[in-house]
Amino acid sequence: DMATLKVAVRVHANSYAVAETMSSRLHIDPARIDVVNRGRGLRIESEDAVRRRLSVRQGLNLGPGHTVLLAVGRQEHQKGLDIALRSLALLRDRFVPATLLIAGREGLETRELDELARELNIQQFVRFLGHRDDVADLMLAADVLVFPSRREGLPGTLIEAMALRLPIVASSIGPVEEVIGEPGDVGIVFDVDDVLGLVAGIQATLDDSSGRHARTERGYQRYVQRFTIDAAADGMRAFYERAIAGG
């Protein structure tokens, strides 16, 4: 990277957080970096969404009235899945009949997460699904996206959740707020590692249907305006035009 940067005219980063970190780490003038976010091409008709929601729930033996939380991410410390497990235990203690689905490949914390689920006595209420190619369908089947990451580049999972109108409760780190905007506008945020904050965010989301609907609609509009394939393509075209013109 250091060698190629000596001849590169412009540098692309997929988020402002990545741009800030790498400009310092690789000694790049921030003025040479263009931020172009990732794009997604998710547009699903409401009738199809309902059908897919029911199909996934039936496949997982989850009834239509069951509360389903979804976390997406590999089983590593930075993803904060231990916080998701602890929040589920508290919710169950408060008589919220929730099940947590965790979609993501195994990692360095797989054993610790299994042990934590047993320690918290919630193993029957959490499903470690491993790597999945149908994350969009899982999102359609879920009631809340739980996103307790400690570090991220640009959280594509949040972009997909906004596109599919899935309510978001996420940790308040810079890349998260870069995607969802001001706290409370599109999703509810909580401090990193704050289990009680995550629980409160989940309960507020489940209890306030009008607020939940308003946030997901704003999230969908934000997705359309900033995170579609067309928006990403326009940004990359402008990036290459600047590079061709000499920066």
Side-chain angles (χ1 to χ4, degrees), residues 43-60:
R43 290 177 184 265
I44 298 175
E45 298 299 325
S46 57
E47 295 83 0
D48 191 35
V50 171
R51 178 186 61 78
R52 290 164 68 174
R53 175 183 175 88
L54 292 175
S55 176
V56 172
R57 281 179 169 246
Q58 288 171 357
L60 294 172

PDB file of all heavy atoms in Angstrom, residues 43-60:
ATOM      1  N   ARG A  43     -34.374  -4.009  -3.152  1.00  0.00           N
ATOM      2  CA  ARG A  43     -35.717  -3.430  -3.250  1.00  0.00           C
ATOM      3  C   ARG A  43     -36.698  -4.591  -3.329  1.00  0.00           C
ATOM      4  O   ARG A  43     -36.709  -5.338  -4.306  1.00  0.00           O
ATOM      5  CB  ARG A  43     -35.855  -2.528  -4.476  1.00  0.00           C
ATOM      6  CG  ARG A  43     -35.061  -1.218  -4.371  1.00  0.00           C
ATOM      7  CD  ARG A  43     -35.184  -0.397  -5.647  1.00  0.00           C
ATOM      8  NE  ARG A  43     -34.366   0.788  -5.594  1.00  0.00           N
ATOM      9  CZ  ARG A  43     -34.813   1.988  -5.220  1.00  0.00           C
ATOM     10  NH1 ARG A  43     -36.062   2.141  -4.856  1.00  0.00           N
ATOM     11  NH2 ARG A  43     -33.998   3.036  -5.204  1.00  0.00           N
ATOM     12  N   ILE A  44     -37.516  -4.739  -2.305  1.00  0.00           N
ATOM     13  CA  ILE A  44     -38.413  -5.889  -2.216  1.00  0.00           C
ATOM     14  C   ILE A  44     -39.842  -5.396  -2.038  1.00  0.00           C
ATOM     15  O   ILE A  44     -40.120  -4.568  -1.173  1.00  0.00           O
ATOM     16  CB  ILE A  44     -38.011  -6.805  -1.047  1.00  0.00           C
ATOM     17  CG1 ILE A  44     -36.586  -7.349  -1.282  1.00  0.00           C
ATOM     18  CG2 ILE A  44     -38.991  -7.961  -0.880  1.00  0.00           C
ATOM     19  CD1 ILE A  44     -36.051  -8.166  -0.147  1.00  0.00           C
ATOM     20  N   GLU A  45     -40.743  -5.892  -2.867  1.00  0.00           N
ATOM     21  CA  GLU A  45     -42.153  -5.512  -2.758  1.00  0.00           C
ATOM     22  C   GLU A  45     -42.734  -6.042  -1.451  1.00  0.00           C
ATOM     23  O   GLU A  45     -42.329  -7.097  -0.938  1.00  0.00           O
ATOM     24  CB  GLU A  45     -42.942  -6.063  -3.947  1.00  0.00           C
ATOM     25  CG  GLU A  45     -42.489  -5.521  -5.293  1.00  0.00           C
ATOM     26  CD  GLU A  45     -42.634  -4.007  -5.393  1.00  0.00           C
ATOM     27  OE1 GLU A  45     -43.597  -3.468  -4.811  1.00  0.00           O
ATOM     28  OE2 GLU A  45     -41.785  -3.373  -6.035  1.00  0.00           O
ATOM     29  N   SER A  46     -43.705  -5.312  -0.904  1.00  0.00           N
ATOM     30  CA  SER A  46     -44.235  -5.656   0.415  1.00  0.00           C
ATOM     31  C   SER A  46     -44.849  -7.053   0.449  1.00  0.00           C
ATOM     32  O   SER A  46     -44.700  -7.788   1.429  1.00  0.00           O
ATOM     33  CB  SER A  46     -45.265  -4.610   0.847  1.00  0.00           C
ATOM     34  OG  SER A  46     -46.309  -4.505  -0.104  1.00  0.00           O
ATOM     35  N   GLU A  47     -45.541  -7.448  -0.642  1.00  0.00           N
ATOM     36  CA  GLU A  47     -46.154  -8.768  -0.661  1.00  0.00           C
ATOM     37  C   GLU A  47     -45.089  -9.858  -0.609  1.00  0.00           C
ATOM     38  O   GLU A  47     -45.234 -10.862   0.089  1.00  0.00           O
ATOM     39  CB  GLU A  47     -47.010  -8.948  -1.921  1.00  0.00           C
ATOM     40  CG  GLU A  47     -48.214  -8.029  -2.008  1.00  0.00           C
ATOM     41  CD  GLU A  47     -47.858  -6.644  -2.546  1.00  0.00           C
ATOM     42  OE1 GLU A  47     -46.659  -6.413  -2.853  1.00  0.00           O
ATOM     43  OE2 GLU A  47     -48.770  -5.804  -2.635  1.00  0.00           O
ATOM     44  N   ASP A  48     -43.996  -9.660  -1.339  1.00  0.00           N
ATOM     45  CA  ASP A  48     -42.905 -10.622  -1.337  1.00  0.00           C
ATOM     46  C   ASP A  48     -42.220 -10.653   0.024  1.00  0.00           C
ATOM     47  O   ASP A  48     -41.803 -11.720   0.499  1.00  0.00           O
ATOM     48  CB  ASP A  48     -41.893 -10.271  -2.430  1.00  0.00           C
ATOM     49  CG  ASP A  48     -40.871 -11.370  -2.660  1.00  0.00           C
ATOM     50  OD1 ASP A  48     -41.235 -12.554  -2.541  1.00  0.00           O
ATOM     51  OD2 ASP A  48     -39.707 -11.051  -2.947  1.00  0.00           O
ATOM     52  N   ALA A  49     -42.115  -9.495   0.660  1.00  0.00           N
ATOM     53  CA  ALA A  49     -41.489  -9.426   1.984  1.00  0.00           C
ATOM     54  C   ALA A  49     -42.283 -10.244   2.994  1.00  0.00           C
ATOM     55  O   ALA A  49     -41.699 -10.975   3.811  1.00  0.00           O
ATOM     56  CB  ALA A  49     -41.384  -7.979   2.438  1.00  0.00           C
ATOM     57  N   VAL A  50     -43.586 -10.131   2.964  1.00  0.00           N
ATOM     58  CA  VAL A  50     -44.433 -10.895   3.887  1.00  0.00           C
ATOM     59  C   VAL A  50     -44.276 -12.387   3.642  1.00  0.00           C
ATOM     60  O   VAL A  50     -44.140 -13.185   4.585  1.00  0.00           O
ATOM     61  CB  VAL A  50     -45.909 -10.469   3.748  1.00  0.00           C
ATOM     62  CG1 VAL A  50     -46.808 -11.410   4.541  1.00  0.00           C
ATOM     63  CG2 VAL A  50     -46.099  -9.039   4.208  1.00  0.00           C
ATOM     64  N   ARG A  51     -44.289 -12.784   2.377  1.00  0.00           N
ATOM     65  CA  ARG A  51     -44.155 -14.205   2.041  1.00  0.00           C
ATOM     66  C   ARG A  51     -42.815 -14.753   2.532  1.00  0.00           C
ATOM     67  O   ARG A  51     -42.755 -15.831   3.137  1.00  0.00           O
ATOM     68  CB  ARG A  51     -44.285 -14.396   0.530  1.00  0.00           C
ATOM     69  CG  ARG A  51     -44.109 -15.842   0.068  1.00  0.00           C
ATOM     70  CD  ARG A  51     -44.104 -15.951  -1.440  1.00  0.00           C
ATOM     71  NE  ARG A  51     -43.004 -15.200  -2.042  1.00  0.00           N
ATOM     72  CZ  ARG A  51     -41.740 -15.645  -2.069  1.00  0.00           C
ATOM     73  NH1 ARG A  51     -41.424 -16.798  -1.518  1.00  0.00           N
ATOM     74  NH2 ARG A  51     -40.796 -14.914  -2.644  1.00  0.00           N
ATOM     75  N   ARG A  52     -41.746 -14.013   2.286  1.00  0.00           N
ATOM     76  CA  ARG A  52     -40.414 -14.472   2.689  1.00  0.00           C
ATOM     77  C   ARG A  52     -40.259 -14.481   4.209  1.00  0.00           C
ATOM     78  O   ARG A  52     -39.589 -15.345   4.769  1.00  0.00           O
ATOM     79  CB  ARG A  52     -39.342 -13.619   2.010  1.00  0.00           C
ATOM     80  CG  ARG A  52     -39.275 -13.882   0.512  1.00  0.00           C
ATOM     81  CD  ARG A  52     -38.535 -12.825  -0.263  1.00  0.00           C
ATOM     82  NE  ARG A  52     -37.110 -12.786   0.021  1.00  0.00           N
ATOM     83  CZ  ARG A  52     -36.245 -12.013  -0.639  1.00  0.00           C
ATOM     84  NH1 ARG A  52     -36.689 -11.232  -1.629  1.00  0.00           N
ATOM     85  NH2 ARG A  52     -34.966 -12.014  -0.341  1.00  0.00           N
ATOM     86  N   ARG A  53     -40.875 -13.513   4.878  1.00  0.00           N
ATOM     87  CA  ARG A  53     -40.831 -13.480   6.346  1.00  0.00           C
ATOM     88  C   ARG A  53     -41.456 -14.751   6.917  1.00  0.00           C
ATOM     89  O   ARG A  53     -40.862 -15.410   7.782  1.00  0.00           O
ATOM     90  CB  ARG A  53     -41.584 -12.249   6.850  1.00  0.00           C
ATOM     91  CG  ARG A  53     -41.702 -12.164   8.382  1.00  0.00           C
ATOM     92  CD  ARG A  53     -42.526 -10.947   8.776  1.00  0.00           C
ATOM     93  NE  ARG A  53     -42.774 -10.880  10.203  1.00  0.00           N
ATOM     94  CZ  ARG A  53     -41.972 -10.296  11.090  1.00  0.00           C
ATOM     95  NH1 ARG A  53     -40.846  -9.735  10.691  1.00  0.00           N
ATOM     96  NH2 ARG A  53     -42.287 -10.270  12.376  1.00  0.00           N
ATOM     97  N   LEU A  54     -42.629 -15.100   6.431  1.00  0.00           N
ATOM     98  CA  LEU A  54     -43.315 -16.287   6.941  1.00  0.00           C
ATOM     99  C   LEU A  54     -42.540 -17.555   6.610  1.00  0.00           C
ATOM    100  O   LEU A  54     -42.451 -18.468   7.430  1.00  0.00           O
ATOM    101  CB  LEU A  54     -44.729 -16.354   6.362  1.00  0.00           C
ATOM    102  CG  LEU A  54     -45.690 -15.264   6.831  1.00  0.00           C
ATOM    103  CD1 LEU A  54     -47.024 -15.374   6.097  1.00  0.00           C
ATOM    104  CD2 LEU A  54     -45.910 -15.351   8.331  1.00  0.00           C
ATOM    105  N   SER A  55     -41.957 -17.608   5.415  1.00  0.00           N
ATOM    106  CA  SER A  55     -41.214 -18.788   4.989  1.00  0.00           C
ATOM    107  C   SER A  55     -39.997 -19.025   5.881  1.00  0.00           C
ATOM    108  O   SER A  55     -39.742 -20.158   6.319  1.00  0.00           O
ATOM    109  CB  SER A  55     -40.774 -18.635   3.531  1.00  0.00           C
ATOM    110  OG  SER A  55     -39.982 -19.731   3.127  1.00  0.00           O
ATOM    111  N   VAL A  56     -39.238 -17.962   6.159  1.00  0.00           N
ATOM    112  CA  VAL A  56     -38.055 -18.102   7.002  1.00  0.00           C
ATOM    113  C   VAL A  56     -38.450 -18.497   8.415  1.00  0.00           C
ATOM    114  O   VAL A  56     -37.833 -19.379   9.038  1.00  0.00           O
ATOM    115  CB  VAL A  56     -37.238 -16.798   7.010  1.00  0.00           C
ATOM    116  CG1 VAL A  56     -36.123 -16.875   8.046  1.00  0.00           C
ATOM    117  CG2 VAL A  56     -36.651 -16.535   5.639  1.00  0.00           C
ATOM    118  N   ARG A  57     -39.481 -17.875   8.940  1.00  0.00           N
ATOM    119  CA  ARG A  57     -39.911 -18.197  10.306  1.00  0.00           C
ATOM    120  C   ARG A  57     -40.382 -19.653  10.405  1.00  0.00           C
ATOM    121  O   ARG A  57     -40.099 -20.336  11.390  1.00  0.00           O
ATOM    122  CB  ARG A  57     -41.007 -17.234  10.751  1.00  0.00           C
ATOM    123  CG  ARG A  57     -40.458 -15.870  11.183  1.00  0.00           C
ATOM    124  CD  ARG A  57     -41.559 -14.924  11.605  1.00  0.00           C
ATOM    125  NE  ARG A  57     -40.992 -13.735  12.241  1.00  0.00           N
ATOM    126  CZ  ARG A  57     -41.157 -13.410  13.523  1.00  0.00           C
ATOM    127  NH1 ARG A  57     -41.877 -14.189  14.308  1.00  0.00           N
ATOM    128  NH2 ARG A  57     -40.609 -12.318  14.019  1.00  0.00           N
ATOM    129  N   GLN A  58     -41.079 -20.109   9.404  1.00  0.00           N
ATOM    130  CA  GLN A  58     -41.509 -21.502   9.421  1.00  0.00           C
ATOM    131  C   GLN A  58     -40.307 -22.434   9.374  1.00  0.00           C
ATOM    132  O   GLN A  58     -40.264 -23.450  10.071  1.00  0.00           O
ATOM    133  CB  GLN A  58     -42.445 -21.763   8.232  1.00  0.00           C
ATOM    134  CG  GLN A  58     -43.810 -21.123   8.381  1.00  0.00           C
ATOM    135  CD  GLN A  58     -44.645 -21.211   7.119  1.00  0.00           C
ATOM    136  OE1 GLN A  58     -44.190 -21.715   6.089  1.00  0.00           O
ATOM    137  NE2 GLN A  58     -45.876 -20.730   7.188  1.00  0.00           N
ATOM    138  N   GLY A  59     -39.307 -22.079   8.540  1.00  0.00           N
ATOM    139  CA  GLY A  59     -38.107 -22.894   8.437  1.00  0.00           C
ATOM    140  C   GLY A  59     -37.326 -22.971   9.726  1.00  0.00           C
ATOM    141  O   GLY A  59     -36.642 -23.970  10.000  1.00  0.00           O
ATOM    142  N   LEU A  60     -37.406 -21.914  10.546  1.00  0.00           N
ATOM    143  CA  LEU A  60     -36.707 -21.878  11.828  1.00  0.00           C
ATOM    144  C   LEU A  60     -37.613 -22.249  12.994  1.00  0.00           C
ATOM    145  O   LEU A  60     -37.203 -22.137  14.152  1.00  0.00           O
ATOM    146  CB  LEU A  60     -36.125 -20.475  12.057  1.00  0.00           C
ATOM    147  CG  LEU A  60     -35.020 -20.041  11.087  1.00  0.00           C
ATOM    148  CD1 LEU A  60     -34.670 -18.571  11.291  1.00  0.00           C
ATOM    149  CD2 LEU A  60     -33.772 -20.905  11.261  1.00  0.00           C
TER     150      LEU A  60
END
